[in-house]
Amino acid sequence: MNKLYYVCKYTPVELLTALGADCANLNGMPQGFDRADQIAHPNLCGFGKAVLEQVMAGEVKELVLVNCCDTIRSVYDILADSGKLDFLYLMDMLRSDGTCSRERTVEQLRDLAAAYGVYRGAAFDIQAFRRAFQPVERGMEPYISVLGARMGKQLYDMVSKAMPYPVENDTCVHNRSVGEAPPPEDGDFDSLMDWYAGELLRQLPCMRMMDNTGRKQLYRHPNLKGIIYHTVKFCDFYSFEYMQVKQEAAVPLLKIESDYTLQSSGQLLTRLDAFAERIGSHWQEGMEKKMGKGYFAGIDSGSTSTDVVILDRDGRIVTGVILPTGAGAAAGAERALEEALSHAGLKREDIDAMVTTGYGRTAIDQGDKSITEITCHARGAYYLDPAVRTVIDIGGQDSKVIRLDENGGVVNFVMNDKCAAGTGRFLEMMARTMETSLDQMSHMGLKYHEDITISSMCTVFAESEVVSLIAQNKAPDDIVHGLNKAVASKTAALVKRVGGEERYMMTGGVSKNESLVKTLEEKLGAALVVDENAQLCGALGAALFAMDMVDRS
Amino acid sequence: MPIVDTFGQFVEKWCDTAPQRARWLLKTGWEAQNLKFRFLPDRRLIPADRYLARLMMDTMLRPLQHPEQCAIISVFTPCELLQEAGLSPYNAEAFSCYLSASRAERGLLQQAENAGVSETLCSYHKTFLGAAQKGLLPKPRCIVYTSLMCDANLLTFRTLAQMYGVPLFAIDVPLRQTEDNVKYVAGQLRELAAFLEEVTGRKIDAQSLRTRVGVSRRTLEKFQRFQRLRAGRYIPEDLVSPLYCGMTNNILLGTPQEEKYVDMLLRDVQSAPPKRGKHIYWMHTIPFWSGAVNDALSFSEKAQIVGCELSQACPPDFDPEEPYEAMAHRLVYHFLNGSVNRRIEAGIRHAKEAGADGVVWFDHWGCKHTMGAAQLAKKQFEAQGLPLLILDGDGCDRSHGGEGQTATRLGAFLEMLDQAGGTRDE
């Protein structure tokens, strides 16, 4: 028998069950959207495309949708035209929970029951209806809540695995609460539907409801230890709630965005791990190692370069090397470590403990432990200058802003989205378009004449803007200044999001770009500390954590 | 540097340090522009469209001059009740257009994104939110919106009401076209009347409301007549006039000024020369700022826009004697409500009425409803003999432009229509 799939918590699952349906929540994350992109615009939200993809792949034959949002309404229109489903229905749920809405909802329930009853050739089974109500059990232990837009199953599994506490999925359809009270003992179909409409509307309101003040309870639970706030690209509802949660929640908060595919999982995993490091202390309980020669190493395996720092027993930097990562993280790390050891005149066995960080951290077998580059950057920056409260790190693949407390611990952090805008890669591509090198570019733009604004932050669009500026014979200094302003404005937005405050330190490869640093300082209205070891900051933090692992008493 | 760029830069700059001063500059700049419309209008436009530019600017200035007499509204809010309560429209979408035309939108969009609003939200809403957050926009008397067509309404207006601390009224419009749903909406409109009476302390007169809804019906009827008459005529158009009409036919519907505009249209069309070039019907908003679209369609004898979907509300078949049911009917049976097939069928009908040779379906960034329906629309319009170009862009935010692509797509589409030969005379 086909399953009947639904996507919204206002779907009358119990009624459909009483009509013989085998109901399931449609929540898979497809590999890609090849089929969906053929029949719909790529800028629909990822979940809408995931629904289209699964239907077009023939995985779904019965589907009940609700007019949740503009995307789902469009999905309904497209699917109705496709003729791929045996049963397709769109419920017209109203957006208020008043008496009138209840009456209109009863009408909807009757209409759906009639349509599905005819399709299946089944009648309403009152006993099956009663059995379908199952109270929702919830534990009493400390937990982490995933809030916001619906989260696909695979991503939820990844989140659960990364967190130090149990994770509750309180997103969208997953906080359905119908069934807390059983249906009344007596009554006919009509009176039951009247009660049922009330139960559906009485749930914790979703963001599409006109009055959704009740949602505050989601982030005010006494056992809540942290919030992972999830948004889906091209779904706008939840960014509004996030604005509020950000101001009102009393527990640590991490915002992540997905497009309903697992393609960006690498970057999401870094954020999840860093968040877990922030709310739990399990990661600090390292293996207690014995002191040997008294040298400690940190390896930061980034997308562009692999950096190694070796410290001595007094925490002084013995050596620091920066090498291109090359094709593989593990081989790059091996090479950089050998180089650092030879530089310092040491052997591998002289290193008492080693911590790896950066994107490639888990691919490297050599380390004793791996810690995210966010925690490591904070530690490294604090070592270089204890007065620093905000670290701005612009690397090749991503940019991040980290807020520190007075002890060098991470208070908050943000990272850019997975696109290249505002990263070292963006500048690299623009340098290529301008037929210059990154090094030369870092000195250009210091003396500009015309204040050009590059409006596109999308790397592809910005590239065509630069091409047309070149065609207009604009001076290279003016164009570079325009590009620097674009990156500075994107970075300043991240600083604002994290609540950045002085003193600022800039780390990562882009900190060497003199003209960009100057533009960013102007945008922030504050000076940026650029330490001579700025590029080694992540590796330095990792080496300091390695030092913690050794009993030096 | 063009003066408008400098103007926009100062508005943006002062927003950060002295929002009151930025608001004063905005008002002064717009008043100066209005004087230009009055004394040095663009003579290439027909008299009706010259009048429309002034009418629209007057409407935009009122919230800056007397915000306490204005209600922030979404574009499809039925405004007859507000007019009866003595409130002027302070329309979010139109304001964002004007802020963008004043070259002040960049910092406002950035402000909203910094506050946490997603970058994929419709830029009309995002610009307005950013401007409100920066203190550029004054506090209104109240806020009224409908859920019709656009999810962003549900989010933006709630946020604004919290921010300004003003009363909020939401009109929930169900999807299906049934008489029960008309009753449901009419009930809400009666509540809206009571809400406005309380907010303004002014009683809404039943007879006066009937008369006003009668004006609305007549205006839509006359506009429909004009659109049919223009099919065989050449009317020089820029990009903003069809867009202004899309706004005023909603937010000023029921006013004598809007009726005067359609009367002028009917007069001007009589003396318009025969059709020249291609007629293009435009679905959804128009990127008035785009140089590429301007080059192709503004004051061109080769091709002109002959109507914008947004200026059509619903068939003028409602009964003014039952004004609440009539306004509710307009919302429930609005061409943009319900299944997208209604929208497409109406688009085909209106395009044919205006003698269109081709149609542009403008996928405004952030409008999921429009983007979602693009492929279906292409199939259905073309099955009815109307070539359709799906054009991606943004009505308000220049950074979503891609001017080169727009020029190529639109240029190729017009060449294709030329090659198809002949023009379509209905």
Side-chain angles (χ1 to χ4, degrees), chain B residues 76 146-150 153 171 173 330-331 334 336-338:
Chain B
F76 301 120
T146 82
S147 63
L148 183 66
M149 161 85 178
C150 172
N153 289 341
I171 306 164
V173 184
R330 206 165 77 221
L331 289 174
H334 198 288
L336 295 172
N337 191 35

Side-chain angles (χ1 to χ4, degrees), chain A residues 33-45 48-49 52 56 71 74-75 78, chain B residues 363 368 371-376:
Chain A
F33 298 130
D34 294 353
R35 295 179 183 88
D37 285 344
Q38 285 170 28
I39 51 170
H41 197 283
N43 289 1
L44 282 189
C45 98
K49 289 197 286 186
L52 290 175
M56 297 316 280
T71 292
S74 289
V75 165
I78 294 166
Chain B
D363 274 338
K368 282 79 180 170
M371 289 189 295
Q375 301 283 6
L376 291 180

Side-chain angles (χ1 to χ4, degrees), chain A residues 118-134:
Chain A
V118 168
Y119 161 75
R120 183 158 283 286
F124 177 73
D125 178 343
I126 197 160
Q127 293 311 324
F129 183 65
R130 290 184 196 287
R131 277 197 307 274
F133 289 86
Q134 298 293 331

Side-chain angles (χ1 to χ4, degrees), chain A residues 50-353:
Chain A
V51 172
L52 290 175
E53 189 70 24
Q54 289 167 89
V55 173
M56 297 316 280
E59 294 162 21
V60 177
K61 288 293 168 196
E62 297 178 12
L63 181 62
V64 173
L65 299 171
V66 172
N67 63 337
C68 305
C69 60
D70 292 337
T71 292
I72 293 296
R73 281 199 294 279
S74 289
V75 165
Y76 171 80
D77 288 327
I78 294 166
L79 290 178
D81 182 71
S82 77
K84 287 284 280 185
L85 288 151
D86 296 340
F87 184 78
L88 173 66
Y89 191 91
L90 179 75
M91 275 195 71
D92 187 10
M93 275 308 277
L94 300 179
R95 296 175 185 82
S96 72
D97 57 0
T99 317
C100 283
S101 300
R102 185 165 166 165
E103 286 167 14
R104 307 289 313 124
T105 304
V106 171
E107 286 302 313
Q108 290 281 316
L109 295 174
R110 281 204 198 101
D111 190 62
L112 171 62
Y116 194 71
V118 168
Y119 161 75
R120 183 158 283 286
F124 177 73
D125 178 343
I126 197 160
Q127 293 311 324
F129 183 65
R130 290 184 196 287
R131 277 197 307 274
F133 289 86
Q134 298 293 331
V136 186
E137 299 268 330
R138 220 171 149 141
M140 292 301 288
E141 70 271 29
Y143 72 102
I144 287 169
S145 180
V146 181
L147 296 181
R150 69 183 75 233
M151 184 177 271
K153 185 182 177 311
Q154 294 89 331
L155 180 56
Y156 173 70
D157 291 345
M158 192 167 107
V159 170
S160 300
K161 224 168 126 189
M163 289 303 123
Y165 295 104
V167 178
E168 292 284 349
N169 191 350
D170 291 324
T171 62
C172 193
V173 61
H174 298 283
N175 63 40
R176 191 173 192 274
S177 57
V178 178
E180 279 170 358
E185 282 303 316
D186 43 14
D188 57 6
F189 178 76
D190 284 343
S191 65
L192 276 177
M193 287 307 108
D194 183 53
W195 168 85
Y196 188 40
E199 286 298 295
L200 286 168
L201 289 166
R202 208 165 51 87
Q203 296 181 80
L204 184 94
C206 116
M207 281 298 284
R208 73 181 281 287
M209 299 307 264
M210 282 172 160
D211 178 6
N212 56 22
T213 40
R215 291 182 63 82
K216 291 189 179 196
Q217 59 179 284
L218 281 171
Y219 52 89
R220 288 184 175 166
H221 197 282
N223 293 341
L224 187 62
K225 290 290 171 197
I227 297 167
I228 295 171
Y229 202 93
H230 177 240
T231 56
V232 173
K233 192 91 179 159
F234 288 103
C235 167
D236 303 319
F237 276 101
Y238 290 95
S239 69
F240 281 79
E241 187 178 51
Y242 171 68
M243 283 197 287
Q244 202 168 2
V245 174
K246 195 168 70 161
Q247 282 171 0
E248 295 180 9
V251 294
L253 172 70
L254 171 74
K255 177 164 184 291
I256 57 173
E257 182 158 277
S258 77
D259 59 4
Y260 245 77
T261 68
L262 273 176
Q263 287 156 11
S264 62
S265 60
Q267 202 192 31
L268 286 182
L269 195 58
T270 301
R271 295 187 211 193
L272 292 168
D273 284 347
F275 186 65
E277 286 165 4
R278 192 177 144 206
I279 51 176
S281 53
H282 309 347
W283 61 282
Q284 286 172 330
E285 298 156 8
M287 300 161 277
E288 282 293 304
K289 299 194 114 197
K290 286 225 167 64
M291 179 77 111
K293 291 273 177 67
Y295 293 101
F296 316 97
I299 305 181
D300 182 357
S301 168
S303 63
T304 313
S305 68
T306 300
D307 317 328
V308 176
V309 164
I310 298 177
L311 298 176
D312 67 13
R313 65 181 64 214
D314 299 319
R316 283 184 303 233
I317 299 176
V318 178
T319 188
V321 301
I322 300 167
L323 286 184
T325 297
E334 182 76 40
R335 226 176 27 245
L337 181 62
E338 273 170 26
E339 173 93 11
L341 288 169
S342 100
H343 219 257
L346 296 171
K347 296 197 193 73
R348 176 68 184 83
E349 51 272 27
D350 295 337
I351 305 294
D352 292 342

Side-chain angles (χ1 to χ4, degrees), chain B residues 102-175:
Chain B
S102 306
R103 297 256 174 184
E105 87 283 7
R106 193 67 249 144
L108 308 176
L109 288 160
Q110 193 66 58
Q111 159 64 38
E113 285 178 20
N114 287 351
V117 171
S118 66
E119 60 184 40
T120 58
L121 181 76
C122 165
S123 48
Y124 290 107
H125 285 257
K126 214 166 28 175
T127 305
F128 195 80
L129 271 171
Q133 285 166 345
K134 283 215 173 198
L136 177 63
L137 298 180
K139 177 178 169 172
R141 185 70 163 266
C142 62
I143 299 179
V144 184
Y145 74 94
T146 82
S147 63
L148 183 66
M149 161 85 178
C150 172
D151 287 340
N153 289 341
L154 298 165
L155 304 163
T156 302
F157 297 103
R158 194 157 58 200
T159 307
L160 289 168
Q162 276 168 9
M163 205 174 75
Y164 283 121
V166 295
L168 171 74
F169 194 95
I171 306 164
D172 182 19
V173 184
L175 274 187

Side-chain angles (χ1 to χ4, degrees), chain A residues 455-456 460-465 468 472, chain B residues 103 239 282 286-296 362 391-412:
Chain A
S455 55
S456 299
V460 181
F461 284 144
E463 196 168 357
S464 55
E465 269 194 75
S468 66
Q472 289 167 41
Chain B
R103 297 256 174 184
L239 299 187
W282 198 277
I286 303 170
F288 64 89
W289 55 266
S290 161
V293 181
N294 256 294
D295 290 347
F362 186 65
L391 190 62
D392 289 346
D394 198 304
C396 189
D397 179 356
R398 289 173 173 80
S399 71
H400 292 146
E403 284 287 88
Q405 262 222 18
T406 302
T408 307
R409 286 202 212 182
L410 197 52

